[in-house]
Amino acid sequence: MPAEDLMERVTNLCKRRGFVFPSAEIHGGFRSTYDYGPLGVLMLRNVKEAWWRSMVQLREEVVGLDAAILSSPRIWEASGHLANFTDPLVDCRSCHERWRADQIGDTCPNCGSTDLTEARAFNLLFKTYAGPVEDEGAVAYLRPETAQGMFVNFANVLQTTRKRPPFGIAQMGKSFRNEITPGNFVFRTREFEQMELEYFVPPDQSQQWYEYWCAERMTWFTDLGMAKDRLRLRPHDADELSHYSTGTSDIEFAFPWGWGELEGIANRTDFDLLAHAAASGERLDYFDPATGERYVPHVIEPAVGATRAMMAFLIAAYDTDEVDGEARTVLRLHPRLAPYSVAVLPLSRKDTLSPVAHRVLSLLQPLFMCDYDDTQSIGRRYRRQDEVGTPYCVTVDFDSLDDDAVTIRDRDTTEQARVPIIDLIAELGSRLSH
Ligand code: GAP
């Protein structure tokens, strides 16, 4: 399928089926902001849950954090964001559009004019005021990354958890950047969600942990069903590196418009801990009782956008095929990511089937995210579930009244199997855990 078609189909599906809506649509929209609808909110939660599970739940050396979004200017002064978190901005003198100089070459993409201003540094931080007085003393910033929350809480976490390097602090949540050119649907937005790990290691182990995390994060995507040939690991050239990093690799995804960054894995060295220690006067280091040595750990940071990752999973999962001579659209999402795990579908709307179908629904709801649909023909309902990636449909038919069994239909193979209701939880549980 041509790349533009794929992108258009995915964005249409997102709108039509309630994954992602343009924000403030009834008021004309608002500057590339988006709202996550009934299915989008489920999928985004699943992406975050899959990340948390792999980064926190399954690791003994990583703990979580949820730091404030509204933050002190001192954090951003110390981190270097107030001085350095800028993009080069140019204006077109002809049509007055603004562009990121590094993205457009010498010509205005809007009107073709070559009469552009000199590039000037534009800071991406969102500035606001905390409290009723709008003066310099009340300035606050919306965080542009979750990472600094981990650095400023380094000593708190060390003291309360008694972790020792190598150990990590993980956080996911909203970040805000006043991007000059948001675009490509939710790929680049001004408000987005990040999932970041700051992994503190002895300085002489930083390269080995950097390599470990590059490999580990690639595996996370492929374990969740992303094809290996849609991903690549690209080390940054020296001139691309952020002000804090000695080494960064991007995990890139083959988006319909070309390779694009999905996740960055950076060796941030001791830059952040030293910077916050110097600015605050607090000691941000680790005393190793075994060796009697005191040192400032180095930091390896895998950082990924939850919203960008969700979009990549949707694009990777989008497929079309034919079932019984009829074209269908199917999202081949990993069961862990699909908005609904199971859809309960009574074959007919007749009153006789509804009590059994609702009994099945109540049985499954505590364990699985379920949809219930008794509208339209069963064929159409299967198509609707395929289109949003539901791995299994459970159909209650008139035989169910006699045999107390239901039919499980598999999204990918469309194969059906009869299962006694009493075995349903075990059967679905085993299929969904694969
Ligand atoms: N703490 C390091 C950091 O924030 P980054 O490369 O600027 O690094 C990490 O951001 C990830 O966050 C990116 O790889 C991308 O997935 C996501 N991201 C960054 N800016 C974004 C934006 N404007 N919209 C959506 N996602 C974004």
Side-chain angles (χ1 to χ4, degrees):
M1 181 184 315
E4 318 79 70
D5 285 6
L6 173 60
M7 201 51 217
E8 198 179 315
R9 282 180 188 217
V10 171
T11 41
N12 282 346
L13 188 140
C14 280
K15 169 85 199 298
R16 190 161 43 77
R17 297 304 311 273
F19 281 85
V20 181
F21 303 126
S23 189
E25 201 180 11
I26 61 166
H27 294 292
F30 182 66
R31 296 172 178 261
S32 300
T33 51
Y34 292 91
D35 299 338
Y36 289 75
L39 295 194
V41 71
L42 293 177
M43 183 168 172
L44 189 56
R45 284 173 69 115
N46 290 345
V47 169
K48 289 188 286 182
E49 179 52 35
W51 184 87
W52 191 263
R53 181 175 186 275
S54 120
M55 303 302 258
V56 182
Q57 188 183 331
L58 298 180
R59 292 178 183 277
E60 60 184 276
E61 85 288 20
V62 177
V63 293
L65 184 77
D66 191 4
I69 289 174
L70 204 56
S71 49
S72 160
R74 289 176 179 223
I75 293 182
W76 309 108
E77 206 178 303
S79 68
H81 282 78
L82 274 172
N84 297 317
F85 196 52
T86 57
D87 275 339
L89 173 76
V90 291
D91 291 304
C92 171
R93 287 203 182 88
S94 180
C95 71
H96 307 294
E97 282 288 328
R98 295 187 151 177
W99 304 102
R100 255 176 71 173
D102 56 329
Q103 286 179 342
I104 62 161
D106 300 327
T107 315
C108 172
N110 187 43
C111 71
S113 166
T114 52
D115 190 8
L116 305 175
T117 60
E118 285 290 302
R120 63 190 185 281
F122 173 75
N123 195 291
L124 304 185
L125 291 174
F126 268 104
K127 189 176 183 177
T128 186
Y129 298 93
V133 183
E134 293 195 2
D135 65 13
E136 274 307 298
V139 166
Y141 292 94
L142 301 189
R143 67 180 179 201
E145 60 172 17
T146 62
Q148 298 303 322
M150 276 81 103
F151 301 128
V152 298
N153 281 290
F154 172 79
N156 285 337
V157 172
L158 209 56
Q159 273 154 24
T160 52
T161 65
R162 312 195 68 77
K163 294 285 176 207
R164 51 165 69 184
F167 82 98
I169 311 178
Q171 179 171 202
M172 50 196 192
K174 293 247 173 170
S175 292
F176 300 81
R177 296 180 188 180
N178 200 1
E179 300 280 1
I180 298 166
T181 45
N184 282 332
F185 194 37
V186 298
F187 178 81
R188 183 175 294 105
T189 47
R190 297 194 172 104
E191 173 178 346
F192 56 99
E193 281 201 76
Q194 287 189 306
M195 308 185 287
E196 299 194 287
L197 171 72
E198 307 305 322
Y199 202 72
F200 301 92
V201 303
D204 60 350
Q205 294 177 16
S206 67
Q207 182 60 22
Q208 101 195 34
W209 286 111
Y210 172 64
E211 287 164 22
Y212 167 86
W213 281 110
C214 285
E216 196 70 6
R217 294 301 304 149
M218 285 291 268
T219 307
W220 185 77
F221 286 105
T222 53
D223 279 354
L224 287 170
M226 217 173 250
K228 278 201 174 83
D229 62 2
R230 292 199 80 133
L231 294 171
R232 71 178 187 192
L233 190 68
R234 188 184 67 80
H236 278 204
D237 294 333
D239 61 352
E240 277 180 276
L241 291 176
S242 312
H243 59 275
Y244 49 73
S245 178
T246 57
T248 298
S249 289
D250 285 345
I251 295 180
E252 294 189 332
F253 174 74
F255 285 98
W257 60 87
W259 290 101
E261 176 185 341
L262 196 50
E263 167 153 357
I265 299 122
N267 183 345
R268 294 181 77 124
T269 68
D270 52 8
F271 175 88
D272 304 272
L273 290 180
L274 284 178
H276 285 293
S280 66
E282 294 290 324
R283 193 165 215 171
L284 300 179
D285 57 13
Y286 175 73
F287 176 72
D288 187 341
T291 61
E293 245 187 287
R294 188 174 277 287
Y295 65 86
V296 179
H298 281 211
V299 172
I300 309 303
E301 175 196 68
V304 57
T307 38
R308 191 179 286 186
M310 171 176 152
M311 178 182 167
F313 280 120
L314 280 170
I315 291 168
Y318 189 94
D319 196 12
T320 51
D321 64 1
E322 238 182 51
V323 174
D324 301 331
E326 246 189 70
R328 77 162 174 167
T329 299
V330 52
L331 282 188
R332 299 194 191 279
L333 289 171
H334 189 282
R336 224 182 255 297
L337 301 182
Y340 294 119
S341 303
V342 184
V344 176
L345 312 175
L347 188 65
S348 119
R349 244 182 157 165
K350 291 233 166 65
D351 289 347
T352 39
L353 289 186
S354 178
V356 191
H358 276 101
R359 174 158 69 88
V360 170
L361 181 68
S362 314
L363 189 72
L364 300 180
Q365 270 176 330
L367 292 157
F368 310 109
M369 189 68 218
C370 297
D371 190 18
Y372 183 90
D373 186 6
D374 62 3
T375 59
Q376 302 183 312
S377 74
I378 191 71
R380 285 237 183 142
R381 280 182 278 161
Y382 285 151
R383 296 293 168 279
R384 280 179 62 77
Q385 295 298 334
D386 291 342
E387 198 183 39
V388 299
T390 311
Y392 296 105
C393 290
V394 168
T395 310
V396 177
D397 58 24
F398 291 99
D399 289 341
S400 307
L401 300 176
D402 297 325
D403 64 4
D404 217 35
V406 290
T407 301
I408 297 184
R409 173 189 178 271
D410 181 301
R411 173 195 74 200
D412 293 330
T413 63
T414 73
E415 271 167 22
Q416 305 194 3
R418 195 80 184 158
V419 177
I421 292 175
I422 199 167
D423 297 334
L424 193 55
I425 286 181
E427 178 63 29
L428 285 169
S430 118
R431 289 182 183 220
L432 285 163
S433 65
H434 284 299

